[in-house]
Amino acid sequence: DVVMTQSPLSLPVTLGQPASISCRSSQSLVNSDGNTYFNWFQQRPGQSPRRLIYKVSNRDSGVPDRFSGSGSGTDFTLKISRVEAEDVGVYYCMEGTQWPWTFGQGTKVEIK
Amino acid sequence: EVQLVESGGGLVQPGGSLRLSCAASGFTFSSYWMLWVRQAPGKGLEWVANINQDGNVKQYVDSVKGRFTISRDNAKNSLYLQLNSLRVEDTAVYYCMTTSRSVAHDYWGQGTLVTVSS
């Protein structure tokens, strides 16, 4: 199975400041069809998860443009350009290239 | 509006069984893969099982193979998960979800809690 490793696991941030989360996979996530099925999810306190980013850098519907994804191969990054209060929660990376799809451990984002 | 509503969770003894259901609406159910994802209390997310549009391709995480069975009824817009031989470590909130790897389609239910305890 692919192992997804996130860092940091805890991220205190200041409102209005940028934030960045990294995720590394144990093997390349480039699929045989040429696509890289790498995703980012957000889980706000007490809520179900929701996907923010798919295929490395594509935002899902309704996701604010302050969220951006980048990376390739085995190294990926989620950036929040200016953190808002509603961004508090746990962020998970996830690979969807090979089954079983696996999640990272999660990064808890909180306001300083 | 897409809605996924799970039901069927509850308290069960080790070795027992439960059947989870998920009622879907607001999208063309028969066109998408469906999945179950679980989250143990205070822990992270874990894919459990998925099923293709026709129901003839099913995949399971190793820890539930031979014990859990995923199924769907496209006529009823419903997804199911049969949980047998339950273990304490199966205690979790079980989420029904639909996703596409390639387009902006990813929706989750509110989850249903399964507690395995004597």
Side-chain angles (χ1 to χ4, degrees):
Chain A
D1 298 358
V2 178
V3 177
M4 307 297 287
T5 303
Q6 290 182 228
S7 62
L9 299 185
S10 178
L11 183 58
V13 297
T14 301
L15 288 174
Q17 293 299 302
S20 178
I21 301 171
S22 296
C23 182
R24 176 166 291 178
S25 59
S26 60
Q27 54 190 273
S28 173
L29 299 185
V30 179
N31 194 43
S32 56
D33 64 6
N35 290 303
T36 301
Y37 296 111
F38 177 85
N39 312 273
W40 287 101
F41 290 82
Q42 175 195 61
Q43 188 173 30
R44 291 170 171 155
Q47 294 188 12
S48 300
R50 71 157 174 162
R51 193 174 67 183
L52 299 175
I53 303 286
Y54 65 98
K55 284 203 304 183
V56 182
S57 60
N58 296 274
R59 275 188 299 275
D60 272 281
S61 302
V63 175
D65 59 9
R66 64 178 181 274
F67 290 95
S68 64
S70 63
S72 63
T74 61
D75 289 283
F76 305 91
T77 303
L78 176 70
K79 292 184 179 178
I80 310 174
S81 59
R82 295 173 305 279
V83 173
E84 298 189 4
E86 66 179 17
D87 300 335
V88 166
V90 181
Y91 291 77
Y92 297 92
C93 63
M94 192 220 81
E95 70 87 10
T97 292
Q98 60 175 279
W99 183 256
W101 298 348
T102 50
F103 289 91
Q105 320 96 299
T107 295
K108 187 173 184 179
V109 172
E110 57 185 7
I111 304 300
K112 285 181 182 176
Chain B
E1 178 192 8
V2 172
Q3 284 198 315
L4 297 169
V5 180
E6 301 97 334
S7 60
L11 174 63
V12 62
Q13 291 187 338
S17 298
L18 280 176
R19 189 191 194 209
L20 307 183
S21 298
C22 172
S25 61
F27 67 103
T28 306
F29 181 77
S30 59
S31 296
Y32 292 94
W33 282 74
M34 295 296 297
L35 304 91
W36 290 96
V37 174
R38 67 183 178 183
Q39 186 170 35
K43 301 298 184 181
L45 301 169
E46 180 184 38
W47 293 109
V48 175
N50 63 7
I51 186 169
N52 74 335
Q53 293 88 334
D54 295 331
N56 55 12
V57 176
K58 305 175 185 181
Q59 295 166 302
Y60 302 90
V61 69
D62 282 350
S63 58
V64 309
K65 281 180 182 175
R67 301 189 299 121
F68 291 7
T69 303
I70 190 172
S71 62
R72 67 190 295 164
D73 185 336
N74 287 343
K76 294 183 177 179
N77 287 351
S78 292
L79 176 71
Y80 307 99
L81 187 67
Q82 179 68 40
L83 292 70
N84 296 331
S85 303
L86 280 161
R87 304 168 180 168
V88 171
E89 55 266 33
D90 294 320
T91 295
V93 173
Y94 284 74
Y95 294 102
C96 162
M97 60 97 63
T98 173
T99 190
S100 168
R101 295 192 303 176
S102 301
V103 300
H105 174 91
D106 189 274
Y107 300 95
W108 297 61
Q110 83 288 351
T112 186
L113 176 62
V114 171
T115 303
V116 185
S117 174
S118 55

